[in-house]
Amino acid sequence: RRATGSRGGVGADAGSLCVCVVEVTSVGRTAGAIRRRRAATVMTAPADTAVGRTRQDDLIEGYRLVQLVGKGGMGEVHQAVQLSLGRTVAVKLLKADLASDEQFVARFEKEAAALATLRHPNIVSIVDRGKSNETYYLVMEFVDGVDLKQIVRTLGAEGRKVPPKVAYKIADRICSALAAAYDQVPYGRREPMRVVHRDIKPSNVMV
C-alpha cells in the first residue's frame, strides 16, 4: 500500500490519482440504485467543514460548488461547475491541517502537475489545481458513478457477490490504468513518469 516508485518517480495517493472503471454493465443496476439513493439524500456540507471554514458556493474562483459528494483523509470532494465552460467537475479541497503543512503542499502540487500529463480511459483526468482564499484545491473530471466499495457492500447485504467475470474485467482495467501511470511517457518527456498509486482499494475505484 505504501510502496514507492523508482528513483525519480512519483508516489501518488488516492487524492491525486483516481482509477475509473466504466461500462461494467453486469453491476450497472446495483450502481444505478445506489446513485438514486444518493440523489435522494444529497450530502450537504456542515457549517464548519473539513477544510476548517464555512463552505461558500464561490469559494474557488472560476468554479461554483454545487454539493458535497464525499469526504476522506485529505479533505472534501464537491461536485462543481467550471464557470468558463459550464461543465461539471469534481473539486477536492484540502483539510486545513494539511494545507498548513508546507512539505505536504509541495508534494501535493508536484504530484498534481505530474499526473495532469497522464492520459488513459481508466484514469480520472486532472483539470486544474491552485490556491484560493487559503484553500488548496484540485479540480478533476467528474465521474457520475459509484465506488466499488459501495457496490460490494450493497451486493453483500443482498447475499450476492460480484460475478467472477465482472471482477476479472474490473481488475483488468485497474491493472491497465496502474500500468499506464507507471509506464506512460508524456509529451515532452523522454522517460516514463513512474507513478505508483500507493493506496489502491475499492473505495478509490469508480464504476
Side-chain angles (χ1 to χ4, degrees):
R1 181 183 178 193
R2 284 295 173 187
T4 57
S6 61
R7 187 170 62 181
V10 178
D13 57 32
S16 301
L17 176 61
C18 297
V19 178
C20 171
V21 181
V22 296
E23 298 177 1
V24 183
T25 56
S26 298
V27 293
R29 184 174 300 176
T30 299
I34 295 173
R35 282 198 298 270
R36 287 191 293 273
R37 285 200 298 270
R38 185 173 62 192
T41 56
V42 174
M43 297 178 67
T44 56
D48 186 16
T49 70
V51 292
R53 59 185 60 79
T54 301
R55 180 180 64 84
Q56 301 171 347
D57 290 344
D58 59 350
L59 181 64
I60 306 298
E61 183 177 358
Y63 299 91
R64 184 177 73 252
L65 303 185
V66 177
Q67 69 182 43
L68 179 69
V69 295
K71 293 182 180 181
M74 289 181 65
E76 300 177 347
V77 178
H78 293 259
Q79 180 180 337
V81 175
Q82 185 179 13
L83 300 179
S84 61
L85 297 175
R87 67 174 171 178
T88 300
V89 294
V91 175
K92 175 178 280 291
L93 305 176
L94 283 185
K95 282 184 175 180
D97 58 334
L98 296 179
S100 63
D101 184 333
E102 293 183 1
Q103 290 186 338
F104 181 89
V105 170
R107 191 180 75 216
F108 171 79
E109 293 186 327
K110 178 183 177 181
E111 291 177 5
L115 297 172
T117 65
L118 295 177
R119 295 290 181 272
H120 189 275
N122 299 122
I123 296 178
V124 176
S125 299
I126 292 179
V127 177
D128 192 12
R129 67 180 174 89
K131 178 182 180 182
S132 176
N133 298 325
E134 302 304 317
T135 297
Y136 288 91
Y137 64 89
L138 186 67
V139 183
M140 300 173 288
E141 166 192 2
F142 180 77
V143 179
D144 186 18
V146 177
D147 69 64
L148 184 57
K149 180 179 179 179
Q150 289 179 288
I151 290 177
V152 171
R153 180 178 293 174
T154 300
L155 289 174
E158 298 171 355
R160 297 189 293 155
K161 296 181 180 180
V162 176
K165 290 184 178 179
V166 176
Y168 171 81
K169 183 181 293 186
I170 292 174
D172 178 67
R173 296 186 183 186
I174 292 173
C175 290
S176 177
L178 296 177
Y182 190 77
D183 293 330
Q184 195 171 103
V185 181
Y187 179 78
R189 288 178 58 101
R190 294 184 177 181
E191 300 294 331
M193 292 298 297
R194 299 306 188 203
V195 174
V196 178
H197 192 288
R198 298 197 307 189
D199 197 20
I200 272 292
K201 56 188 177 183
S203 60
N204 291 334
V205 178
M206 296 296 291
V207 177

